[in-house]
Amino acid sequence: NPVIADFVGVEGLIVSQGSLMNLTNTSIGAFNYLWKFCDATTSLLLNQVFLAQDTGYCCVKLIVDNVSCKDSISKCFNIVSEAVVIIPNVFTPNGDSKNDLFTIKTVGVKSLNCIIFDRWGLKLFEWDGINVGWDGNTKNGPSSDGTYYFILEYKDFKDKTTKAKGYFQLFKN
């Protein structure tokens, strides 16, 4: 009989330090289980709880067998100590494929909302998501060179919400 190793409980590629991960074995046809963790510990239990203690790259491996067949699966992620948000102060949406999008780079952030305003406080653009950004266009067409303002709200993997505001320059040349 074939054996297929699998488990759930690794949610995404980034985990906050101190997170408790409930790993549920969903393997098929297996009788024996061996968990191997990035902190060099092992377990023979069917399901496992893993505490993400050390920061860095971590892989959890599950090896299963039914005496005659064996299979394994690894799921890897980064453990981060806190959310990191990098907001650019300039972007150049001039069509040269370099810095054409105002994006906010993050690590350890699970949700993000950003609102862009012009110098008069008129809302120009809003987005939800960590892999989204603004191309400098509005419903009235391309924005002109100048100073723009943002209000940012993001939530980390520990469900801590942080708000920030600031400004950036848009240059087309």
Side-chain angles (χ1 to χ4, degrees):
N1 293 329
V3 174
I4 300 172
D6 202 4
F7 64 94
V8 296
V10 175
E11 307 298 330
L13 299 175
I14 299 174
V15 174
S16 290
Q17 185 178 25
S19 296
L20 200 57
M21 302 170 68
N22 292 306
L23 306 176
T24 304
N25 188 337
T26 58
S27 300
I28 298 171
F31 304 120
N32 300 306
Y33 316 99
L34 173 62
W35 295 89
K36 292 185 175 185
F37 301 98
C38 52
D39 62 2
T41 60
T42 61
S43 174
L44 299 173
L45 298 174
L46 173 66
N47 298 309
Q48 188 63 47
V49 176
F50 176 71
L51 177 61
Q53 293 181 20
D54 297 324
T55 59
Y57 194 69
C58 177
C59 291
V60 174
K61 184 174 187 176
L62 174 62
I63 304 167
V64 299
D65 73 73
N66 66 359
V67 180
S68 60
C69 294
K70 184 186 253 186
D71 192 25
S72 67
I73 187 168
S74 293
K75 295 188 180 182
C76 302
F77 48 91
N78 272 314
I79 302 172
V80 296
S81 61
E82 61 185 50
V84 176
V85 176
I86 301 169
I87 303 167
N89 60 359
V90 173
F91 91 113
T92 58
N94 56 11
D96 67 356
S97 300
K98 296 176 185 171
N99 200 28
D100 281 340
L101 194 64
F102 176 77
T103 58
I104 297 170
K105 303 209 182 325
T106 65
V107 174
V109 171
K110 71 178 181 180
S111 66
L112 180 142
N113 173 269
C114 186
I115 305 171
I116 307 293
F117 299 92
D118 67 11
R119 65 182 171 187
W120 296 284
L122 179 66
K123 179 178 164 182
L124 300 177
F125 191 76
E126 180 176 5
W127 80 81
D128 285 306
I130 55 175
N131 294 318
V132 187
W134 182 46
D135 63 3
N137 290 312
T138 68
K139 62 183 175 188
N140 297 326
S143 296
S144 59
D145 287 3
T147 302
Y148 291 83
Y149 301 87
F150 65 86
I151 296 177
L152 173 68
E153 184 173 313
Y154 61 91
K155 187 180 287 190
D156 68 15
F157 285 97
K158 294 180 181 178
D159 287 329
K160 176 185 170 197
T161 300
T162 303
K163 294 181 181 182
K165 55 187 169 181
Y167 62 92
F168 60 92
Q169 299 292 317
L170 183 154
F171 296 113
K172 294 209 175 169
N173 294 339

